[in-house]
């Protein structure tokens, strides 16, 4: 397992540059990332990094110190490791195979971008190594030198990171856009509170959680196609709640069962929730609007404690807050003026400056199970406060209201903890109840559709295709070129391999000889199998080397150079597996557990051939087709 030695990173130079986390990777910060290729942009970025000599073996490494916030101070370290193919533990990239890029040529380099977990903490500073192959980082993404890459892991605050998952994802998205990435893939296995986010968000929003950053269906496991995925999402979203409410098979065995929860959120919404999609969409949106419960000012109110005017210790501030809350609890009226609260609290807190600071900072904050509201009285023009208990249970008689009957929105609130508990109950009983017994054909589709959505975990985003970029220099034009290697066949690869199209910017009077030199130089630098590539001709075109490019082809056109490589580098493509499973999957590995037939060497999913997940893969396996063929042989006399 590759490891990065951080012992040399602990002693940072005084005055070393610190970058702002929230804008790092945007155009112009820290570098003008406007190169034509991903390689050029990475080189421009790494010029601003701290070179980490002697770390990670022979691999070149850099670090960037990122400031997340100043009060309280939080700095993170972004590490970039350049992995040449000669030092790589695996020649082929399994993630390329999983997303369907197994036909891509192997690149000369990979670039690992890592945000280690707790990289600003004392525990982190005591560590000397980072595992390049681990999944415990806050962020680990890898780019191939051709601009394609993979997001390997994201771990938010629930996994011990200093940052929530959405902030890490926004950081990653900025990096990919700024560096000019081509396409990025990821395996969506994100969970929260026991719920698969790709299923929960697909039902609520019609797209996975990563879809908020425009990641879409890339490739399904077990033969799932994009059309199957879209149909499955629509099928669950459009199921009427009235069917579930009156279906015996969907009764929950918990106290807060569906018969109580559905009317509760029907009333809370203030409008009619008709379908399953409406229900989960409303619950997720409601979760974002409810403030998080807090019980300790020192650990849960960093915004108040980081106020420049706060000169008191966390213990004194917390004590003052609880005095104010108790004063609001004992108030005769629901809304109390600021002066009244201040006068009552002065009997316990003699420091009026501390009281004024707390009253100024406490408005619209949670304290334990109470929400402190503050507003300006429109008549008296005086600030007033009130206290709301957000943990009050809903009355049981809510279940008596029919779901379809419109009611006024109740003047009640719900805590975030209760909402998450109710959401998990709904998720488990509606989406996760695969053993439900029902005579309704519509409800019987839920387990099957949910399985299709869960099997659609490989997502992809196209950041830059090359065709939408504009060239603002009046004396230059753009053309897109790929390489076709006719003699690239090996015993395990195709007889002809081609690269994706890459963008080239040339002078208006550039000749084909100049373009050929640029193509050879660029593709030799990017691809392992083209290090000695020689371009010989352009497919379906006849020209002389002195002919002008843009008099022969239009600017923005695509052309393919044919040629050969001098010498041999063995396997030059990521490689394809012979897959022909009963689920319909063909051509390549999709990342699921598989077994190979010992007769025909074709791979199939263990789930599809009834090998239990907990059992080991059998040492000898014969597929059903070969088994039938064997049984058809005549027995020996």
């Amino acid at each position: 397992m590759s490891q990065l030695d951080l012992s040399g990173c602990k002693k940072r130079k005084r005055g070393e540059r610190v970058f702002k986390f929230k804008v790092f990777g945007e155009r112009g910060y820290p570098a003008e990332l406007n190169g034509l290729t991903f390689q050029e942009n990475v080189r421009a970025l790494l010029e601003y990094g701290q070179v980490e000599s002697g770390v990670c073996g022979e691999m070149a490494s850099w670090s960037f110190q990122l400031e997340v916030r100043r009060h309280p101070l939080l700095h993170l370290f972004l590490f970039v490791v350049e992995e040449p193919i000669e030092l790589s533990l695996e020649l082929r990239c399994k993630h390329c195979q999983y997303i369907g890029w197994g036909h891509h040529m192997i690149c000369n380099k990979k670039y690992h971008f890592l945000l280690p977990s707790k990289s600003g903490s004392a525990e982190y500073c005591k560590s000397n190594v980072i595992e390049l192959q681990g999944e415990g980082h806050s962020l680990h993404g890898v780019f191939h030198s051709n601009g394609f890459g993979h997001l390997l892991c994201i771990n938010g605050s629930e996994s011990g990171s200093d940052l929530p998952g959405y902030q890490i994802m926004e950081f990653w998205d900025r990096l990919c856009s700024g560096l000019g990435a081509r396409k990025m893939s990821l395996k969506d296995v994100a969970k929260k509170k026991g719920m698969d986010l790709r299923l929960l968000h697909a039902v609520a929003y019609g797209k996975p959680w990563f879809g908020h950053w425009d990641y879409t269906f890339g490739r399904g496991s077990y033969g799932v196609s994009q059309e199957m995925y879209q149909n499955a999402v629509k099928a669950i979203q459009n199921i009427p709640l009235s069917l579930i409410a009156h279906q015996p098979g969907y009764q929950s065995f918990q106290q807060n069962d569906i018969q109580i929860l559905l009317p509760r959120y029907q009333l809370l919404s203030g409008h009619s929730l008709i379908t399953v999609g409406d229900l989960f969409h409303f619950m997720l949106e409601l979760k974002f609007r409810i403030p998080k419960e807090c019980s300790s000012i020192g650990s849960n109110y960093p915004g108040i404690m980081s106020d420049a005017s706060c000169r008191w210790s966390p213990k004194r501030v917390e004590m003052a807050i609880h005095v104010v809350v108790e004063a609001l609890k004992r108030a005769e009226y629901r809304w109390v003026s600021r002066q009244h609260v201040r006068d009552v609290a002065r009997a316990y807190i003699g420091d009026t400056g501390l009281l004024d600071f707390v009253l100024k900072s406490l408005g619209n904050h949670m304290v334990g199970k109470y929400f402190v509201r503050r507003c300006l009285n429109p008549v008296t023009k005086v600030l007033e406060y009130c206290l709301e208990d957000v943990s009050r249970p809903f009355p049981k008689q809510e279940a008596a209201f029919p779901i379809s009957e419109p009611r006024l929105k109740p003047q009640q609130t719900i805590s975030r903890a209760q909402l998450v508990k109710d959401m998990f109950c709904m998720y488990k009983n509606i989406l996760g109840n695969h053993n439900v017994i029902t005579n309704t054909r519509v409800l019987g589709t839920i387990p099957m559709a949910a399985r299709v959505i869960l099997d659609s975990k490989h997502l992809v985003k196209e950041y830059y295709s090359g065709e939408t970029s504009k060239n603002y220099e009046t004396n230059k034009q753009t053309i897109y070129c790929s390489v076709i290697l006719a003699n690239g066949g090996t015993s395990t690869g195709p007889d002809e391999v081609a690269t994706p199209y890459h963008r080239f910017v040339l002078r208006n009077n550039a000749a084909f000889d100049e373009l050929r030199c640029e193509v050879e130089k660029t593709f030799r630098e990017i691809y392992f199998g083209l290090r000695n590539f020689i371009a010989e001709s352009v497919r379906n075109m006849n020209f002389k080397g002195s002919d002008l490019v843009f008099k022969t082809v239009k600017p923005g056109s695509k052309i393919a150079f044919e040629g050969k490589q001098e010498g041999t580098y063995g396997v030059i493509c990521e490689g394809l597996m012979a897959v022909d499973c009963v689920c319909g999957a063909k051509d390549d590995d999709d990342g699921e557990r598989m077994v190979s037939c010992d007769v025909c060497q074709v791979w199939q999913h263990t789930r599809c051939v009834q090998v239990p997940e907990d059992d080991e893969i059998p040492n000898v396996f014969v597929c059903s087709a070969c088994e039938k063929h064997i049984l058809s042989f005549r027995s020996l006399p």
Side-chain angles (χ1 to χ4, degrees):
M1 180 174 292
S2 297
Q3 293 182 327
L4 174 61
D5 187 351
L6 301 181
S7 57
C9 304
K10 299 179 200 175
K11 298 179 180 179
R12 315 297 296 188
K13 294 181 180 179
R14 185 183 297 274
E16 180 183 301
R17 184 170 182 182
V18 178
F19 302 94
K20 294 187 179 298
F21 175 83
K22 292 185 178 180
V23 293
F24 189 87
E26 288 185 354
R27 187 171 294 278
Y29 188 84
E32 288 292 341
L33 305 178
N34 52 9
L36 300 180
T37 67
F38 167 78
Q39 286 272 72
E40 293 173 341
N41 288 328
V42 168
R43 284 195 292 264
L45 175 65
L46 294 181
E47 289 180 1
Y48 290 81
Q50 173 77 22
V51 178
E52 303 294 347
S53 60
V55 300
C56 204
E58 300 179 23
M59 298 184 192
S61 306
W62 298 261
S63 66
F64 296 83
Q65 190 173 0
L66 307 178
E67 180 184 85
V68 179
R69 60 173 181 261
R70 292 188 177 181
H71 303 289
L73 185 64
L74 176 60
H75 283 187
L76 302 177
F77 290 99
L78 170 68
F79 292 92
V80 183
V81 179
E82 182 184 80
E83 180 185 1
I85 191 65
E86 292 83 1
L87 300 179
S88 180
L89 296 178
E90 296 180 351
L91 188 64
R92 288 192 174 104
C93 175
K94 61 182 180 182
H95 304 288
C96 282
Q97 297 179 32
Y98 297 162
I99 195 61
W101 301 340
H103 59 284
H104 282 194
M105 298 184 71
I106 296 173
C107 293
N108 280 320
K109 294 179 181 179
K110 297 177 186 175
Y111 294 90
H112 295 264
F113 283 71
L114 302 107
L115 280 177
S117 264
K118 293 290 183 184
S119 61
S121 66
E123 293 83 0
Y124 168 80
C125 294
K126 295 177 183 178
S127 174
N128 290 332
V129 295
I130 291 180
E131 295 181 356
L132 291 184
Q133 307 295 330
E135 296 183 356
H137 307 297
S138 293
L139 167 70
H140 185 187
V142 61
F143 296 88
H144 298 289
S145 53
N146 63 355
F148 290 76
H150 319 281
L151 176 57
L152 302 184
C153 74
I154 272 191
N155 292 300
S157 51
E158 287 192 353
S159 300
S161 173
D162 294 306
L163 297 173
Y166 74 90
Q167 288 188 9
I168 302 174
M169 191 62 202
E170 288 172 354
F171 173 77
W172 170 252
D173 199 49
R174 288 196 305 271
L175 267 181
C176 294
S177 298
L179 291 173
R182 300 285 295 272
K183 288 184 179 181
M184 301 304 299
S185 78
L186 62 87
K187 184 178 180 180
D188 184 3
V189 292
K191 289 189 175 185
K192 198 162 190 177
K193 305 296 183 181
M195 297 177 284
D196 288 283
L197 292 188
R198 65 184 181 279
L199 176 57
L200 180 64
H201 280 254
V203 175
Y205 299 105
K207 59 184 180 182
W209 181 77
F210 292 99
H212 295 290
W213 293 271
D214 299 324
Y215 279 82
T216 59
F217 179 94
R219 186 187 185 198
S221 302
Y222 302 104
V224 173
S225 65
Q226 185 171 7
E227 183 180 3
M228 292 169 61
Y229 170 77
Q230 293 171 344
N231 291 338
V233 172
K234 292 178 181 178
I236 297 183
Q237 281 185 321
N238 295 328
I239 290 177
L241 288 174
S242 57
L243 286 180
I244 293 177
H246 300 96
Q247 179 63 31
Y250 276 88
Q251 293 288 338
S252 171
F253 296 101
Q254 300 182 11
Q255 184 178 3
N256 288 333
D257 59 13
I258 290 180
Q259 296 295 331
I260 294 178
L261 296 183
L262 286 180
R264 171 182 296 183
Y265 289 93
Q266 187 77 18
L267 292 171
L268 268 175
S269 69
H271 60 273
S272 183
L273 301 177
I274 304 297
T275 65
V276 171
D278 294 338
L279 173 65
F280 283 100
H281 180 85
F282 172 71
M283 295 181 83
L284 282 175
E285 289 296 311
L286 183 61
K287 179 176 177 287
F288 297 137
R289 298 201 300 266
I290 297 178
K292 292 184 177 181
E293 296 88 348
C294 303
S295 58
S296 171
I297 184 70
S299 59
N300 294 297
Y301 287 99
I304 294 178
M305 296 307 302
S306 63
D307 194 307
S309 61
C310 180
R311 59 181 187 273
W312 299 272
S313 67
K315 185 176 181 180
R316 293 190 65 192
V317 174
E318 185 173 359
M319 180 178 65
I321 285 178
H322 286 296
V323 168
V324 170
V325 170
E326 289 299 320
L328 290 172
K329 284 183 186 179
R330 296 193 300 267
E332 183 178 356
Y333 300 101
R334 184 165 182 261
W335 286 93
V336 185
S337 69
R338 176 186 179 280
Q339 187 61 43
H340 177 79
V341 179
R342 189 174 185 271
D343 291 342
V344 174
R346 279 199 65 184
Y348 304 93
I349 304 295
D351 190 338
T352 55
L354 173 58
L355 279 178
D356 291 338
F357 170 76
V358 168
L359 288 171
K360 179 190 74 171
S361 307
L362 194 57
N364 300 323
H365 273 84
M366 290 290 303
V367 179
K369 65 178 183 178
Y370 296 102
F371 187 68
V372 182
R373 294 193 181 277
R374 181 185 65 183
C375 71
L376 185 69
N377 190 308
V379 177
T380 63
K381 306 300 181 182
V382 173
L383 278 176
E384 294 183 345
Y385 292 80
C386 82
L387 205 63
E388 288 190 8
D389 185 352
V390 298
S391 65
R392 288 180 299 170
F394 286 83
K396 290 291 182 180
Q397 56 265 30
E398 289 177 11
F401 297 141
I403 292 178
S404 59
E405 183 180 349
R407 293 278 175 175
L408 294 176
K409 184 178 179 179
Q411 298 302 314
Q412 296 174 321
T413 56
I414 186 171
S415 67
R416 178 184 285 248
Q418 183 64 46
L419 173 61
V420 173
K421 180 180 178 182
D422 293 344
M423 191 185 304
F424 175 75
C425 181
M426 289 291 195
Y427 175 92
K428 182 181 68 174
N429 288 280
I430 297 177
L431 304 179
N433 193 354
H434 295 170
N435 298 319
V436 64
I437 301 174
T438 175
N439 296 324
T440 306
R441 183 177 179 182
V442 175
L443 296 181
T445 64
I446 292 181
M448 184 183 302
R451 186 72 265 168
V452 169
I453 296 173
L454 291 174
D455 287 339
S456 304
K457 58 174 71 80
H458 295 289
L459 309 180
V460 68
K461 176 176 180 178
E462 183 171 335
Y463 282 89
Y464 162 67
S465 64
E467 301 178 24
T468 58
S469 295
K470 295 181 180 179
N471 178 45
Y472 297 101
E473 297 184 51
T474 56
N475 63 334
K476 292 185 178 182
Q477 298 290 348
T478 299
I479 192 169
Y480 301 93
C481 302
S482 71
V483 162
I484 298 176
L485 196 60
N487 68 332
T490 66
S491 60
T492 58
D495 292 331
E496 183 178 88
V497 293
T499 67
Y501 284 93
H502 289 258
R503 179 174 177 245
F504 293 84
V505 176
L506 304 172
R507 295 177 292 103
N508 289 333
N509 58 351
F512 272 99
D513 281 341
E514 182 179 344
L515 175 59
R516 178 166 47 224
C517 291
E518 287 296 320
V519 167
E520 289 178 348
K521 175 185 174 183
T522 299
F523 284 91
R524 287 174 181 176
E525 181 182 3
I526 294 176
Y527 293 105
F528 173 64
L530 300 177
R531 290 186 173 181
N532 291 326
F533 172 72
I534 298 176
E536 297 178 328
S537 62
V538 176
R539 177 163 286 193
N540 300 324
M541 289 183 61
N542 292 318
F543 61 87
K544 295 180 180 179
S546 58
D547 291 346
L548 299 183
V549 175
F550 297 112
K551 291 229 173 155
T552 308
V553 297
K554 294 181 179 180
S557 298
K558 293 181 177 180
I559 62 176
F561 277 86
E562 294 181 316
K564 63 181 180 179
Q565 62 169 344
E566 294 294 330
T568 177
Y569 291 97
V571 180
I572 62 173
C573 286
E574 296 294 355
L576 297 172
M577 287 175 55
V579 177
D580 188 5
C581 189
V582 294
C583 65
K586 295 182 182 294
D587 299 332
D588 202 1
D589 184 11
D590 58 9
E592 305 298 337
R593 199 171 74 140
M594 306 185 87
V595 60
S596 173
C597 175
D598 289 291
V599 177
C600 63
Q601 304 300 312
V602 169
W603 291 83
Q604 294 181 314
H605 298 111
T606 55
R607 191 178 90 180
C608 297
V609 295
Q610 307 301 316
V611 176
E613 191 69 24
D614 296 333
D615 290 0
E616 294 184 0
I617 296 177
N619 294 326
V620 178
F621 173 76
V622 179
C623 67
S624 57
C626 292
E627 186 178 8
K628 289 180 181 178
H629 187 64
I630 292 173
L631 292 175
S632 66
F633 291 166
R634 291 184 179 182
S635 59
L636 295 174

